[in-house]
Structure formats: structure tokens, C-alpha cells
Amino acid sequence: MSTGFLSYRVFNFLFLFAIAFLIIVAFPFNRSLVHTLLVDHRYPPLYPKYHQQELELPHYTTYEHSDVKYLWAPNHPHRVGWGNLMQDYVLSYALAYASNRSFVFDDYTWVDDGSEFSYFNGKLIPSQVPLTALLSGPMVGGELPPNDPTPLAVSKDFFHRVCPNPTVLQVSDVSGWTDADTVEFIMDKWVQKITSIDDPCLQFADTKEQIVDVVAYGQKERLLSFWPYMSKLPLLTHWAWSHLILDAFEANREVIFPPAVPSSPVQGSKNNRTEPFPGLFAIHVRRGDFKDHCHVLAHWNADWNAFNSFLQLPDKLDRSKDPRTSAENKQLYMDHCYPTMEQIVEKVKQVRAGSEEPLKYLYIMTNGPASWVKELKNALRDLGGWEHIGSSRDLNLTWEQKYVAQALDMLVAQKAQVLIGNGWSSLTSNVVMLRMTEGQPPESNRFW
Ligand SMILES: Nc1nc2c(ncn2[C@@H]2O[C@H](COP(=O)(O)OP(=O)(O)OP(=O)(O)O)[C@@H](O)[C@H]2O)c(=O)[nH]1
Ligand SMILES: *[C@@H]1O[C@H](CO)[C@@H](O)[C@H](O)[C@H]1NC(C)=O
Ligand SMILES: *[C@@H]1O[C@H](CO)[C@@H](O)[C@H](O)[C@H]1NC(C)=O
Ligand SMILES: *[C@@H]1O[C@H](CO)[C@@H](O)[C@H](O)[C@H]1NC(C)=O
Ligand SMILES: [Mg+2]
């Protein structure tokens, strides 16, 4: 009996000790983990329903017994943000489409080491998110326009089922181009190679080498050569976000755009693009890792993202400061890459004053900390003249929505009458790409 009592005391002591350890020692180092385990009591979502649906798309049964050809590109980058991954996905899809092959889609993979969860910025995140949690439309097997005979996309699992022994293509199999050539030229080489292959089952080698080198996304001369082709791709003209994202938008109307009667649906149905929401003004305030990253960008003298550099866009980056290591050049990069609260307020004021349409509904899309965003909101409110100000930090999201919230912010930015974004951000540039596809006025895309 006394042993039981003792072990109870020992247990109690160890339990209290463990709690004390978490609070005193671990908390300052890993706030989010402690928060996840002690407060939320739950791990990030794994989206099983979405995975399941990807295994059962309606066209699979006919594709199983047809002459459809496939292209599987497992060489997407890992451990990168959604913005960077989306760029790679769009060009991979474009290659499959141009080669008349069914595009094989995969998860948004952070790591493929067999784990369910990973760390990003000290936060637990799902190691893989099914692409259908972010998107619908052609990329994930959605329909193409009625007269388009190109095969629809299929999931990785379906591909593996119908193609147990695919032909494997190395990125080095296509020669005759260098990383100085335009993306149009490189894509053309690839299409020639791929259309010369008879095997319906074709995949790239699973290496970390991408079809188009990542540097190209920051080189307007190279990437924009491909725009005349890209801008007509049904993938982009019929771009669609997932139901999870559209539901999040509807549930958060009051935060994003409170007017009761919207002028048009959030997402057009097939081949029917919708108008921006009148008076909605979105600003992308990129924080987090950009605090350090902007210094690196200055050191590289990095140009803006190619899709933030269309000739028709009014704001340009001045890269003539010499030498690039000078204090002035560093300051210039910080002004545009990591603007201070005062600089943000000033730019918002300027852009609003220059807009023909009155901009009364401000939405701050950001990964900045909540307390800072609150201060920023107050500073912007002091400008006066708003009907409403909302931010990413005011959203009420479900557990599954929370881990793909960047797509919701992208949808808001896409619907905005005017957008101010970060020239170096791929997330901004993907939105600008979609806005240019939809034919929104080029001058409605502004940059810090
Ligand atoms: N919700 C939300 N998240 C954002 C926003 N901007 C950046 N993030 C998130 O900040 C984190 C780090 O950014 P990355 O994922 O590297 O961003 P990215 O999509 O690659 O785009 P860039 O890094 O800006 O080129 C990711 O979780 C982003 O999704 C935003 O406006 N809203
Ligand atoms: C593309 O492939 C499909 C079959 O998968 C075929 O019906 C169609 O005619 C092809 N298109 C072209 C342009 O060859
Ligand atoms: C496109 O959408 C608008 C707004 O919902 C609608 O009024 C119009 O009839 C639609 N047009 C087509 C061709 O579907
Ligand atoms: C958030 O949404 C849920 C479900 O829609 C609702 O029950 C809850 O009250 C909302 N919370 C806030 C703070 O609005
Ligand atoms: Mg990134």
C-alpha cells in the first residue's frame, strides 16, 4: 500500500515536473509546439477526405482503357512556400498540356520522408497537403473547355496504377539550351522531345532539378517570352480555387468585403470570368522570413519576380544603384521589400488618392504577427475614409482552412479592384499573373 502511495507521489511529481519543464524551459524556445500540445491538443489536419476524392475522379474509368498519354513530374521543389511551388506547378502543367499529355498532379509536399508533420518557422505543419484542398479546375483533373481534346489531369496514385513501368526522362536528356535561353525556347525543346516519345507512360526522374530553373522566375526577359502562350492556357483562364477556400471566403465575407450584395460571384463558372469587387483594396504585407530575406535580395541585387514585371505595370524597381553593396542600395531594397509602417501608410494613401474608383474596403493580407497587424490597422484607420478594414488575422477559419490560408488571401487579392503587393514575392506574382489573365487593368497592380 505504501508502495502504491509512493509511486502515486512519484508520478504526481514527474507530471508536475513535466508541465513545469514545458512552461519554463520549452516555452520560450518553442511557443508554438507547446501551444499545439497544451492548448489545441491536436496536430495539423491531414485532409483524408481530399486524398480519397483524388483517388476517384470520374474520368478515371474511361482513361483506364484508352490511349491517353501521361506526364508525371515528381521533381517539384520541396520545403518551399505555396507561391514558389505554384509557379513550378503552372509551368509543369503547361508542358504536359503543350505535349497533349494528361498532367499528373501530386500533393503540396513539404517533405516526402514518410512523415505526417514537419516544422516550418517553429510551427507544426502537415508534411503533405492534397492539392485539391487548395485548388479545383484543370490542374487537379477539372474539366477543360468543351472543344479542348487535351486529356484531363490525373492524380499520382492513378498514374502509378496505370503506369507501373514508365519511361523515365532525365532533365539532362534535352540539350541545346542554357539557363540564358528564354523559357519559350526551353519549353519548345521539351515539347519536341516529349512528343517524339511513344510510351504513354512518361515521367521525369525524381531529382531536385526542375524543368525550368528557378532563377527564370526572377528574369522577365526569359519568363515573359512564354506569356503569350501561357495567358491562353485553360489552366489559367479557368483557374479555380477549392471548395474549402471558397467556403472560407463566404464564411468571412464580413471580414473581407461586408457589402451585402456582391456585384458578381466570387469565382466565375466555366469560361465566365467575374468582375473585381467594387472598392476592394488588397495590400500584401509580406513579413516573417522576409525580414532577413530582403537583405539577401539586396545582396544579390535581385530583380522583381517576372510576373511582377510586365511592361504595362506602373511601378518599376530601380536597380541602377551602384555599387549594389552600398548603403543606399540596401536602403532601397528595404523600402520596397520590407516597408515600415509609415511607408505602408504613405503608399496606401497615394494609391487610394490616384484611383478612379473609390477604394473603401481595405484588406491586409499578411503573415505578420497579430499585434503588429493591429497597430498597422490603427495607423491605416487614422487615414480616414474607409468603410471597413480587415486582415488575415481577423479571419475565422476551420482547422483545415487554417493550413491553406495563403490561398484564401490570394483569392481576395485576385478579386480586389486594386492590389499593392511585394515585387519579390512569388505569392504576389501569382496573383498578378491571375489578374493579368482575367484582363484586370495593368495599372491596378501596384508594388511597395
Ligand atoms: N495567409 C497568408 N500567408 C502568407 C502571406 N504571405 C506569405 N504568407 C505565408 O508566409 C509563409 C512563408 O512564405 P512562403 O510560403 O515562402 O511564401 P511563398 O508562397 O513562397 O511566397 P514568397 O516567399 O513571398 O515568394 C508561408 O506560409 C506563406 O504562405 C499572406 O499574405 N497571407
Ligand atoms: C490529344 O490526345 C487525345 C487523346 O488522349 C486525342 O483525342 C487528341 O486528338 C489529341 N490532340 C492532338 C492535337 O493531337
Ligand atoms: C456570367 O456570369 C454573370 C454573373 O453571374 C451572368 O450574369 C452571366 O449570364 C454569365 N454569362 C455566361 C455566358 O454564363
Ligand atoms: C467561427 O466560426 C464558427 C463556425 O462557423 C462559429 O461557431 C464561431 O462562433 C466563429 N467564431 C467567431 C469568433 O466568430
Ligand atoms: Mg517563399
Side-chain angles (χ1 to χ4, degrees), residues 410-421:
M410 289 176 77
L411 171 59
V412 179
Q414 199 188 338
K415 295 301 302 174
Q417 190 125 44
V418 174
L419 165 71
I420 307 179

Side-chain angles (χ1 to χ4, degrees), residues 80-85 108 110 120-121 123 283-290 293 305 364-367 392-393 395 404-407 409-410 422 424-428 430:
V80 298
W82 164 244
N84 302 94
L85 186 76
Y108 170 13
W110 190 259
F120 172 66
N121 261 349
K123 271 201 305 258
I283 63 176
H284 184 202
V285 181
R286 187 68 173 81
R287 281 347 229 193
D289 53 316
F290 266 40
H293 191 52
N305 220 283
I364 306 165
M365 50 190 285
T366 186
N367 57 340
S392 309
R393 296 293 173 226
L395 298 168
V404 290
Q406 59 275 57
D409 278 351
M410 289 176 77
N422 183 311
W424 289 274
S425 166
S426 60
L427 196 137
T428 288
N430 286 327

Side-chain angles (χ1 to χ4, degrees), residues 133-134 241-250 404-405 407-408 411:
L134 291 141
W241 299 101
S242 68
H243 288 291
L244 185 66
I245 299 301
L246 296 178
D247 287 350
F249 189 98
E250 289 307 332
V404 290
L408 171 60
L411 171 59

Side-chain angles (χ1 to χ4, degrees), residues 154-176:
V154 299
S155 73
K156 175 182 64 174
D157 304 84
F158 178 78
F159 173 75
H160 287 320
R161 183 143 59 82
V162 293
C163 289
N165 297 302
T167 297
V168 179
L169 208 49
Q170 304 292 331
V171 170
S172 56
D173 283 348
V174 167
S175 54

Side-chain angles (χ1 to χ4, degrees), residues 177-384:
W177 60 274
T178 70
D179 60 11
D181 285 312
T182 65
V183 170
E184 185 194 19
F185 182 84
I186 297 170
M187 285 299 207
D188 208 51
K189 287 269 178 199
W190 276 116
V191 172
Q192 282 174 32
K193 174 76 186 177
I194 291 170
T195 48
S196 77
I197 295 172
D198 285 331
D199 193 344
C201 297
L202 183 61
Q203 76 159 81
F204 281 96
D206 191 357
T207 66
K208 293 295 150 260
E209 212 177 347
Q210 276 85 50
I211 301 161
V212 171
D213 52 287
V214 66
V215 186
Y217 298 102
Q219 296 177 317
K220 52 181 176 290
E221 301 78 9
R222 294 182 62 208
L223 187 52
L224 293 184
S225 65
F226 198 46
W227 181 246
Y229 179 79
M230 277 181 82
S231 60
K232 296 188 188 67
L233 274 178
L235 171 69
L236 296 187
T237 59
H238 290 57
W239 185 265
W241 299 101
S242 68
H243 288 291
L244 185 66
I245 299 301
L246 296 178
D247 287 350
F249 189 98
E250 289 307 332
N252 286 280
R253 280 268 182 161
E254 290 297 315
V255 176
I256 298 164
F257 188 72
V261 186
S263 62
S264 77
V266 177
Q267 188 152 276
S269 54
K270 296 177 190 76
N271 226 356
N272 187 6
R273 301 315 304 182
T274 60
E275 296 296 311
F277 284 178
L280 178 59
F281 186 9
I283 63 176
H284 184 202
V285 181
R286 187 68 173 81
R287 281 347 229 193
D289 53 316
F290 266 40
K291 187 171 200 283
D292 301 318
H293 191 52
C294 293
H295 291 283
V296 177
L297 292 167
H299 184 73
W300 290 342
N301 214 32
D303 203 350
W304 278 353
N305 220 283
F307 290 124
N308 291 332
S309 310
F310 287 101
L311 270 178
Q312 311 94 298
L313 303 185
D315 296 315
K316 315 274 180 206
L317 174 67
D318 172 13
R319 288 166 79 220
S320 63
K321 290 263 185 300
D322 202 40
R324 59 188 196 161
T325 48
S326 69
E328 292 99 283
N329 196 45
K330 278 187 188 159
Q331 189 55 51
L332 178 125
Y333 270 72
M334 292 318 278
D335 292 348
H336 297 281
C337 186
Y338 208 77
T340 63
M341 208 171 280
E342 293 71 31
Q343 288 172 324
I344 293 169
V345 173
E346 185 52 37
K347 179 81 180 186
V348 166
K349 187 176 157 192
Q350 252 180 44
V351 169
R352 186 178 66 170
S355 170
E356 279 175 28
E357 305 280 342
L359 301 174
K360 292 189 178 296
Y361 303 93
L362 183 65
Y363 181 80
I364 306 165
M365 50 190 285
T366 186
N367 57 340
S371 57
W372 185 83
V373 176
K374 199 169 165 194
E375 253 182 84
L376 175 63
K377 256 172 98 172
N378 287 335
L380 287 162
R381 191 175 287 118
D382 287 345
L383 284 177

Side-chain angles (χ1 to χ4, degrees), residues 7-121:
S7 64
Y8 174 77
R9 296 231 342 219
V10 168
F11 173 80
N12 229 350
F13 174 78
L14 283 179
F15 183 75
L16 287 176
F17 181 81
I19 296 285
F21 176 83
L22 276 176
I23 291 171
I24 297 164
V25 181
F27 188 71
F29 291 108
N30 205 332
R31 226 168 251 268
S32 318
L33 176 63
V34 175
H35 191 269
T36 304
L37 297 181
L38 282 184
V39 182
D40 285 328
H41 297 297
R42 49 185 176 167
Y43 286 102
L46 293 175
Y47 305 92
K49 209 177 74 208
Y50 294 83
H51 276 299
Q52 191 54 38
Q53 278 168 5
E54 291 181 358
L55 299 177
E56 297 162 358
L57 298 185
H59 50 288
Y60 289 173
T61 42
T62 45
Y63 278 30
E64 248 166 327
H65 313 283
S66 75
D67 56 358
V68 169
K69 291 176 156 188
Y70 303 92
L71 180 64
W72 159 228
N75 50 340
H76 298 291
H78 291 170
R79 294 179 191 277
V80 298
W82 164 244
N84 302 94
L85 186 76
M86 180 174 149
Q87 292 180 321
D88 188 63
Y89 254 116
V90 167
L91 286 199
S92 305
Y93 182 96
L95 179 57
Y97 184 88
S99 319
N100 197 30
R101 283 181 179 257
S102 163
F103 176 72
V104 179
F105 65 93
D106 191 2
D107 297 330
Y108 170 13
T109 300
W110 190 259
V111 288
D112 61 354
D113 58 359
S115 66
E116 290 186 324
F117 308 107
S118 311
Y119 277 102
F120 172 66
N121 261 349

